[in-house]
Amino acid sequence: MVPWWLLAIAVFGANFALWGVIGLLRLLDSSAQRWRDRRSADDSVVDLNRFQGGLDVDDVAVLMPAHNEEAVIVDSIAAITALVPAENVHVVSDGSTDRTVELARECGVQVISTARNVGKAGALKEAIRRFALVERYPVVMLLDADTHVQPGYFDAALRLFDDPEVVAVAGCVKTTWRGRGLGAIGKLVAFHRQRIYTMTQYLLKFGQTWRRTNATHIVPGFASLYRTEVLPRIEVNPPGLVIEDFNMTFEVYQKRLGKVGFTPAAVAATQDPGTLKDYVKQCKRWALGLWQTVRLHPPRANLFTAMLALLLLEMLTSSVLLVVLPVVLVALLLPALLPGLLDVPVLGEAHQFVSGFATPSALLFGVLIPDLALTCIVALLQRQPRYLLVGLLFLPLRVLDAAIALYAIPGAWLTKSSGRWRSPDRHVVDQSA
């Protein structure tokens, strides 16, 4: 019989526990550093260079790839030009057939177009060359066309480059759901995605990007910063990959280019899929991109490979358990509701087999209650009590995520991707909502 606590570890993993503890150590280290800084200030010997690394928004080139983004491009440019000079904003239209180019030019930013749809990574690579960003700027921001950078992002993110070893900074993502006219399913999907963001950013990425133990598997491409000096050493668009951000992060570590920084204070809001269909498509794309990148980069004897191996092993284990969870529930509970089914040969044998290693109480305490506890934590951190109203619906969505994760694995070895993209349906956001 599998004990409930072992089931909880298998489903939710040691990664959250390990990196969560390291995240707490990072908080303690930061608190100790602030205490030392205050003491130094009292002694009038504070090192001002610790707080001012010399980078500001004038040093940042914003590169925004866009493919048929006329619904959101104007608002996104307005959001970033409120923080960065308009001449620093560069838009590359990747084979757009709508008014994306026209609208971007009307906003007063620099705009180019690719000759055809070459995919996001291909557009980024071409734009970096044509805009000569490596030669003109010390830092480049890769910004999705549906993303709004929040005030305070650059104050928090650029400070991380005070550490000369930091070559990339990951933004802290939150999903935009208000003012988009989403239906019940769309809001549920958005809440589920924000729940994932909160857990992975606070319980994984925060610990993974501590300067003492620096190894994270992705710098998300929605709003990330890179030192331009490392871009010539990163293959932005290797053939056969469906997305670029996993590969760029892997190359930072596997080529020993430096470290990745992250702070929850560097926030940007993005439009996640508003329908279950678009959500499934995006999850398939992300899962395929991860496994394609794993295939491309052989393991090495370093912390990054160890972190990645633990992450992938645990993802496989939890995905398998979550996918079989509905079957286990039916095998356990249906005969209890309809005892006559135990006399049916196949059903009776299935019930006997499943009950040999699982019980309803083990599933309750090992799966359902921990999942609801995570929802409570996320609701508290996000100050969104409405998450509690749909708390029981997040677990079925996790089962869907697990099925997609397993489905994508063979494709990473059996198929190649062109990288060309089709943006999901965008919505003009009502800012007054």
Side-chain angles (χ1 to χ4, degrees):
M1 188 68 63
V2 179
W4 68 267
W5 56 267
L6 184 59
L7 185 61
I9 292 175
V11 172
F12 296 96
N15 268 292
F16 283 139
L18 172 63
W19 293 109
V21 169
I22 293 175
L24 289 176
L25 294 176
R26 177 180 174 179
L27 282 175
L28 294 174
D29 181 62
S30 299
S31 299
Q33 184 62 59
R34 286 193 295 269
W35 180 78
R36 288 192 293 267
D37 290 340
R38 283 196 296 269
R39 291 203 58 179
S40 297
D42 292 339
D43 294 337
S44 301
V45 293
V46 64
D47 181 7
L48 294 178
N49 290 327
R50 179 175 295 156
F51 304 98
Q52 297 182 6
L55 290 174
D56 59 30
V57 292
D58 291 328
D59 299 308
V60 179
V62 177
L63 180 54
M64 182 184 295
H67 175 67
N68 291 342
E69 300 283 8
E70 65 178 2
V72 296
I73 192 76
V74 173
D75 285 344
S76 294
I77 291 176
I80 192 61
T81 53
L83 306 174
V84 173
E87 60 267 23
N88 289 35
V89 178
H90 306 72
V91 174
V92 52
S93 170
D94 181 31
S96 296
T97 57
D98 63 359
R99 299 178 62 222
T100 294
V101 172
E102 175 189 348
L103 294 174
R105 284 181 174 148
E106 289 176 358
C107 293
V109 300
Q110 302 187 56
V111 184
I112 62 171
S113 297
T114 59
R116 57 186 177 84
N117 185 351
V118 295
K120 180 181 177 182
L124 288 173
K125 184 175 182 178
E126 182 174 335
I128 290 170
R129 176 183 57 82
R130 289 174 60 182
F131 283 126
L133 299 183
V134 174
E135 295 79 14
R136 295 168 54 212
Y137 295 92
V139 174
V140 63
M141 165 181 264
L142 307 182
L143 181 66
D144 282 353
D146 64 336
T147 298
H148 288 194
V149 176
Q150 304 295 291
Y153 177 100
F154 290 104
D155 288 340
L158 290 178
R159 188 175 302 178
L160 297 178
F161 285 116
D162 291 359
D163 182 348
E165 292 188 276
V166 172
V167 299
V169 172
C172 183
V173 61
K174 73 174 185 178
T175 188
T176 300
W177 62 271
R178 287 190 175 92
R180 291 175 55 191
L182 298 178
I185 298 298
K187 288 181 180 178
L188 175 62
V189 168
F191 294 164
H192 174 60
R193 180 57 64 76
Q194 185 59 59
R195 182 177 182 263
I196 295 173
Y197 287 156
T198 303
M199 292 189 298
T200 55
Q201 290 177 151
Y202 284 86
L203 296 180
L204 284 181
K205 193 174 293 293
F206 187 74
Q208 290 172 340
T209 52
W210 189 26
R211 58 191 174 90
R212 301 181 188 276
T213 56
N214 197 273
T216 188
H217 65 291
I218 185 171
V219 178
F222 76 101
S224 56
L225 297 172
Y226 283 86
R227 291 191 194 270
T228 54
E229 65 187 41
V230 304
L231 291 181
R233 299 182 60 188
I234 294 176
E235 181 53 75
V236 176
N237 187 32
L241 297 189
V242 68
I243 54 177
E244 83 295 337
D245 42 12
F246 283 115
N247 181 69
M248 293 181 70
T249 310
F250 278 44
E251 296 223 342
V252 165
Y253 287 109
Q254 301 295 50
K255 292 183 177 179
R256 299 182 179 180
L257 302 181
K259 297 180 178 180
V260 172
F262 169 76
T263 171
V267 179
T270 191
Q271 279 197 29
D272 284 298
T275 67
L276 188 61
K277 180 180 178 181
D278 280 344
Y279 175 80
V280 170
K281 286 182 178 180
Q282 188 184 69
C283 287
K284 286 181 178 179
R285 182 180 175 89
W286 287 0
L288 180 61
L290 170 60
W291 286 106
Q292 285 178 335
T293 308
V294 170
R295 182 204 67 201
L296 184 64
H297 292 269
R300 300 187 181 183
N302 55 23
L303 178 62
F304 174 77
T305 297
M307 175 280 302
L308 183 64
L310 177 61
L311 180 75
L312 295 178
L313 176 62
E314 200 162 79
M315 185 176 72
L316 287 171
T317 302
S318 62
S319 294
V320 169
L321 289 174
L322 283 168
V323 165
V324 302
L325 179 62
V327 178
V328 172
L329 280 174
V330 170
L332 285 176
L333 299 180
L334 194 58
L337 298 175
L338 301 171
L341 292 177
L342 291 174
D343 298 328
V344 179
V346 175
L347 293 179
E349 292 171 3
H351 174 77
Q352 185 176 5
F353 172 76
V354 171
S355 61
F357 62 86
T359 64
S361 62
L363 297 178
L364 176 65
F365 291 104
V367 179
L368 182 59
I369 290 180
D371 191 75
L372 290 174
L374 286 174
T375 299
C376 292
I377 293 172
V378 172
L380 181 63
L381 291 173
Q382 294 295 322
R383 299 178 182 178
Q384 289 288 347
R386 71 186 70 211
Y387 285 21
L388 303 178
L389 299 176
V390 293
L392 292 175
L393 300 178
F394 289 135
L395 190 56
L397 287 175
R398 288 196 65 204
V399 174
L400 175 63
D401 293 342
I404 294 172
L406 295 175
Y407 170 84
I409 296 175
W413 276 265
L414 299 177
T415 64
K416 290 186 178 181
S417 302
S418 66
R420 287 194 288 269
W421 56 348
R422 184 189 71 82
S423 299
D425 293 335
R426 305 297 193 193
H427 301 270
V428 179
V429 177
D430 182 1
Q431 302 295 337
S432 64

